[in-house]
Amino acid sequence: MSTAAEALVLLRHLIQTPSFSREEGGTADILMQFMAQQGVQAHRLGHNVWAANQHWKNGLPVLLLNSHHDTVRPHAAWTRDPFGAELEGDTLYGLGSNDAGGALVALLMTFLHYHTRQDLPWNLLFAASAEEEISGRNGIELLLPVLGPIDLGIVGEPTQMQMAIAEKGLLVLDCTARGKAGHAARNEGINALYQAIDDINWFRTYQFDRQSDFLGPVKMTVTQIQAGSQHNVVPDTCTFVVDVRTNEYYSNQAIYEEICAHVTCEVKARSFRLNSSRLPEDHPLVQRGISLGRTVYGSPTTSDQALMPFPTLKMGPGDSARSHTADEYLLVTELEAGIGLYIELLDGLRL
């Protein structure tokens, strides 16, 4: 069986096995079994699966190939069986086919291509991580300390095999404006909803100074609001949620501190973990990709890349526009081309 045919069989098997975030045990089993059949000594931590190249040499730089095997849950608009792995001509339908089964399988096949090589200029790790779709703490964040120092990572996500050399970070804020309850019919109380309006307008209009040529400005969006208990009571509390997408010029902590200096409401960050990233255009991996006709861009979506404290590139077969959509699909030719391009990208790469 050819590499491409083997990859397609594996991908269909993964699609047919539900792997919602925190429930990836079945696909972890499949990956462990497949790698054992290929002669690879794989390891497992929770629902994360990983392996190293056979001829590991101390002192060489370490390159990580990573993608995730969890999926979101299918929504009601699906017209096909999300787990059917239906193949119609060049099109493979199924939940997780595009995000990120194609990238996961293509990276695994790339890892197998190099697994037994004795002349590699770098050590190679492959990691299939869990909980990416929920930015869970038992995914790549749990696994990275076990993997040890890493010099460079390729994160498999659907990018049409173009190179996302920058990725926006994510900061979610829970904000609370406080007033004083009173009767709506009389001129009493302090309306917390009115208190919140000024801060909400600040979030709507404020511009951070530094804009990225790839990621644009920091973007802040108020997405949820809640106030009041009944029509005739002036609300004493108003809560709202702000979604903040950061660029590489600011850490999430720095963004938070600047926000707190400008608004009057109480602001609590759910996490500071998901920071923005940027790989320089003169990096050898980026230059190698450009020589192969790949383009560079900045990605507005967050991935496990945000949890990696080392240089990373996001790249993979498929199209981000198909992710989390009904009747998600991947083209078989995209899978085949992805394997080939990953291998071309790494051939001759020096770190």
Side-chain angles (χ1 to χ4, degrees):
M1 187 182 298
S2 69
T3 297
E6 204 165 31
L8 180 59
V9 170
L10 174 60
L11 179 54
R12 295 185 75 180
H13 195 186
L14 291 170
I15 292 170
Q16 291 163 349
T17 307
S19 56
F20 307 132
S21 301
R22 298 196 181 101
E23 302 174 19
E24 310 96 340
T27 48
D29 290 340
I30 291 169
L31 290 165
M32 288 290 292
Q33 293 164 5
F34 177 82
M35 294 169 77
Q37 292 167 359
Q38 302 295 320
V40 176
Q41 183 180 359
H43 310 272
R44 182 168 176 171
L45 178 62
H47 296 325
N48 303 288
V49 175
W50 65 278
N53 61 289
Q54 185 171 314
H55 299 285
W56 188 277
K57 298 176 182 177
N58 292 332
L60 290 179
V62 177
L63 172 60
L64 171 67
L65 307 180
N66 162 253
S67 189
H68 63 95
H69 62 108
D70 64 317
T71 72
V72 297
R73 294 181 181 272
H75 50 77
W78 275 79
T79 64
R80 299 171 179 269
D81 178 1
F83 310 107
E86 301 171 35
L87 186 60
E88 295 184 5
D90 188 39
T91 306
L92 175 63
Y93 294 95
L95 183 66
S97 56
N98 178 78
D99 183 16
L104 176 76
V105 171
L107 284 172
L108 177 51
M109 293 301 170
T110 302
F111 172 80
L112 294 175
H113 176 82
Y114 292 104
H115 176 243
T116 59
R117 287 262 298 268
Q118 299 187 42
D119 59 344
L120 294 178
W122 21 257
N123 291 315
L124 191 62
L125 292 171
F126 169 79
S129 50
E131 298 190 8
E132 188 274 346
E133 295 290 3
I134 59 171
S135 300
R137 293 185 180 273
N138 291 316
I140 195 66
E141 189 173 25
L142 176 69
L143 185 59
L144 285 177
V146 176
L147 298 181
I150 294 170
D151 296 279
L152 177 67
I154 298 177
V155 178
E157 291 284 342
T159 71
Q160 297 181 322
M161 290 306 290
Q162 305 305 330
M163 297 186 295
I165 64 170
E167 180 184 84
K168 278 201 168 182
L170 172 62
L171 184 64
V172 181
L173 304 176
D174 292 300
C175 302
T176 304
R178 301 193 185 279
K180 182 180 179 181
H183 198 295
R186 294 188 293 271
N187 187 25
E188 61 185 29
I190 300 173
N191 196 319
L193 187 52
Y194 295 162
Q195 299 287 103
I197 286 174
D198 288 341
D199 285 340
I200 290 173
N201 190 54
W202 181 87
F203 279 112
R204 181 183 181 186
T205 59
Y206 186 77
Q207 293 290 320
F208 286 84
D209 292 335
R210 304 186 71 185
Q211 296 196 21
S212 167
D213 52 349
F214 277 95
L215 298 175
V218 174
K219 187 176 186 301
M220 300 188 291
T221 307
V222 177
T223 56
Q224 294 174 280
I225 188 168
Q226 178 67 45
S229 57
Q230 58 191 65
H231 77 91
N232 59 351
V233 177
V234 173
D236 63 354
T237 304
C238 178
T239 61
F240 58 97
V241 177
V242 187
D243 178 292
V244 184
R245 304 288 168 154
T246 59
N247 63 32
E248 74 273 22
Y249 292 124
Y250 299 91
S251 69
N252 285 352
Q253 182 69 44
I255 290 287
Y256 174 79
E257 291 172 1
E258 186 162 344
I259 288 170
C260 289
H262 284 84
V263 299
T264 60
C265 61
E266 298 174 13
V267 182
K268 293 184 178 179
R270 296 184 184 178
S271 168
F272 294 101
R273 298 161 58 231
L274 304 176
N275 284 285
S276 179
S277 63
R278 173 73 178 267
L279 188 64
E281 288 181 81
D282 61 358
H283 190 281
L285 182 64
V286 179
Q287 289 299 305
R288 177 68 178 155
I290 291 173
S291 74
L292 295 172
R294 303 296 94 192
T295 58
V296 296
Y297 74 102
S299 172
T301 58
T302 303
S303 70
D304 275 342
Q305 191 174 21
L307 295 167
M308 298 179 180
F310 46 83
T312 53
L313 171 71
K314 184 162 70 176
M315 181 180 186
D319 187 340
S320 182
R322 301 179 206 147
S323 300
H324 306 178
T325 63
D327 300 335
E328 178 184 351
Y329 69 90
L330 181 78
L331 302 180
V332 177
T333 46
E334 291 176 323
L335 177 63
E336 295 172 352
I339 298 169
L341 276 167
Y342 279 141
I343 291 172
E344 283 189 274
L345 191 67
L346 298 187
D347 273 349
L349 176 68
R350 294 291 186 274
L351 300 180

